[in-house]
Amino acid sequence: MSLSSNLHHLIGARLYHFTRSTIPRLHSISSSSLLSDSNPMPTNSLRVAGAQMTSINDLAANFATCSRLVHEAASAGAKLICFPEAFSYVAAKDGESVTIAQPLDGPLMNQYCSLARESNIWLSLGGFQEKGSDDQHLCNTHVIVDDTGKIRSSYRKIHLFDVDVPGGRLYKESNFTEPGKDVVAIDSPIGRLGLSVCYDLRFPEIYQLLRFDHGAQVLLVPSAFTKVTGEAHWEILLRARAIENQCYVIAAAQAGKHNEKRESYGDTLIIDPWGTIVGRLPDRLSTGIAVADIDLSLVDSVREKMPIAKQRKPIDFWKAASL
């Protein structure tokens, strides 16, 4: 049997068999339909959720939305729910995000830690406005909270979005954000997580480090992609990162119009290590959760049958080859 046929068989056996009747169940945002799904959860797998929302410049309103989605994910049996970049706040005016920034031990993050503990679920909080080293800057920080409410790890966004979007507007994230310096991976109940934020997606080196140097099995890409760049590149970049690193990818997305100045593309996705989309909301702009099952034996099988970790060349090879 060919590699493609073997993997098709694995995907059918270990995840969901993709027929017209089962796809709506996989993509459903209704907890009741997920719980009554006639397809049993695959052996040795754990359920995850990717949240989609339209954050605004109201901390309390955004927390209420996150709380509702956490309860929905927990009811659906998810062990981890991933939120998009800027889940807690999207500014309507320049400078607002810096004024509301808080430390990771501040009252706002404590609320989210309590939510995780009360709901007995892990949270991936992608893109929290963490107070920076001075009053003019913040850090765009991806925080992992476990099901006891403890912060397990945090990653500060390395690649800042300083881009003149074609047909859009000029973004200058570095004006108010301090870039991170560290690549971060963390163990979790669904495998080893590799952390990133949004614009990092365009820089494959960070994901290669997460996979090959830090042992990541699941790559998290919380984002607030612009409408223009999302239409052009969102899905293809995410599937490429999954395929080339042989990892699951969970990409929670901001969606729709936040205010008069800012609009996000949406389309929350969960992708398996063969590049197949296994979780997606039916509506790219809706608020809700996409749900899928992570099966780490599929990761192992893909890597065994296509052993790129053993075959890839070290950086010294490429340095010599470029002389």
Side-chain angles (χ1 to χ4, degrees):
M1 188 180 290
S2 69
L3 172 63
S4 177
S5 299
N6 268 329
L7 287 165
H8 179 80
H9 172 74
L10 275 166
I11 290 167
R14 299 188 185 281
L15 294 171
Y16 287 100
H17 183 63
F18 290 107
T19 65
R20 191 172 298 228
S21 61
T22 59
I23 286 177
R25 290 194 180 98
L26 175 63
H27 295 169
S28 172
I29 60 173
S30 164
S31 299
S32 59
S33 64
L34 284 164
L35 290 169
S36 64
D37 195 333
S38 60
N39 294 290
M41 191 182 293
T43 306
N44 300 321
S45 68
L46 288 169
R47 187 156 287 180
V48 298
Q52 185 165 286
M53 61 191 296
T54 309
S55 297
I56 57 174
N57 61 336
D58 186 325
L59 294 170
N62 295 329
F63 180 78
T65 299
C66 291
S67 181
R68 175 169 61 84
L69 296 177
V70 163
H71 292 142
E72 195 168 339
S75 296
K79 300 301 181 185
L80 166 74
I81 178 170
C82 300
F83 283 96
E85 182 183 29
F87 64 97
S88 61
Y89 193 85
V90 170
K93 298 178 182 179
D94 292 343
E96 278 186 344
S97 292
V98 176
T99 64
I100 62 90
Q102 297 184 16
L104 294 187
D105 59 357
L108 184 59
M109 185 54 67
N110 285 340
Q111 278 188 287
Y112 284 93
C113 289
S114 295
L115 178 61
R117 182 174 61 253
E118 293 162 3
S119 304
N120 194 33
I121 191 171
W122 283 57
L123 305 182
S124 161
L125 302 170
F128 178 73
Q129 290 89 1
E130 180 188 6
K131 189 171 179 58
S133 61
D134 57 49
D135 292 338
Q136 285 74 49
H137 292 87
L138 55 78
C139 296
N140 191 342
T141 304
H142 185 167
V143 184
I144 301 295
V145 181
D146 71 16
D147 54 4
T148 70
K150 178 184 177 182
I151 294 178
R152 285 294 190 98
S153 190
S154 61
Y155 160 77
R156 295 175 178 88
K157 186 179 182 183
I158 291 174
H159 300 100
L160 302 183
F161 193 56
D162 289 359
V163 176
D164 188 355
V165 175
R169 52 170 280 203
L170 175 66
Y171 293 84
K172 195 74 172 175
E173 189 176 12
S174 64
N175 280 349
F176 58 90
T177 305
E178 299 173 0
K181 298 178 180 178
D182 298 320
V183 176
V184 178
I186 179 70
D187 289 324
S188 80
I190 66 156
R192 190 156 176 82
L193 308 176
L195 309 190
S196 67
V197 179
C198 199
Y199 193 46
D200 287 330
L201 180 60
R202 294 185 181 274
F203 301 88
E205 299 89 350
I206 187 173
Y207 298 98
Q208 291 166 8
L209 286 170
L210 285 167
R211 156 74 207 276
F212 297 109
D213 291 5
H214 294 267
Q217 298 163 299
V218 181
L219 303 173
L220 305 184
V221 193
S223 298
F225 252 58
T226 72
K227 184 174 184 291
V228 173
T229 57
E231 287 176 343
H233 302 142
W234 173 245
E235 180 182 323
I236 195 169
L237 285 172
L238 289 167
R239 294 181 72 186
R241 297 296 89 86
I243 293 164
E244 68 198 8
N245 295 295
Q246 300 171 319
C247 290
Y248 280 94
V249 169
I250 306 174
Q254 290 282 352
K257 293 201 73 172
H258 309 278
N259 50 58
E260 292 304 314
K261 292 183 178 180
R262 186 164 176 180
E263 182 177 3
S264 295
Y265 179 67
D267 200 16
T268 289
L269 295 173
I270 304 172
I271 303 166
D272 76 14
W274 192 240
T276 303
I277 296 171
V278 294
R280 185 180 220 161
L281 270 73
D283 180 356
R284 178 174 63 80
L285 297 177
S286 64
T287 293
I289 58 171
V291 175
D293 296 316
I294 299 293
D295 184 359
L296 296 180
S297 64
L298 179 61
V299 175
D300 294 338
S301 179
V302 169
R303 293 178 180 183
E304 179 184 352
K305 289 178 170 58
M306 190 175 290
I308 61 174
K310 297 177 182 178
Q311 298 166 340
R312 66 194 295 264
K313 303 300 182 186
I315 188 63
D316 290 343
F317 172 90
W318 295 113
K319 286 179 179 177
S322 67
L323 294 178

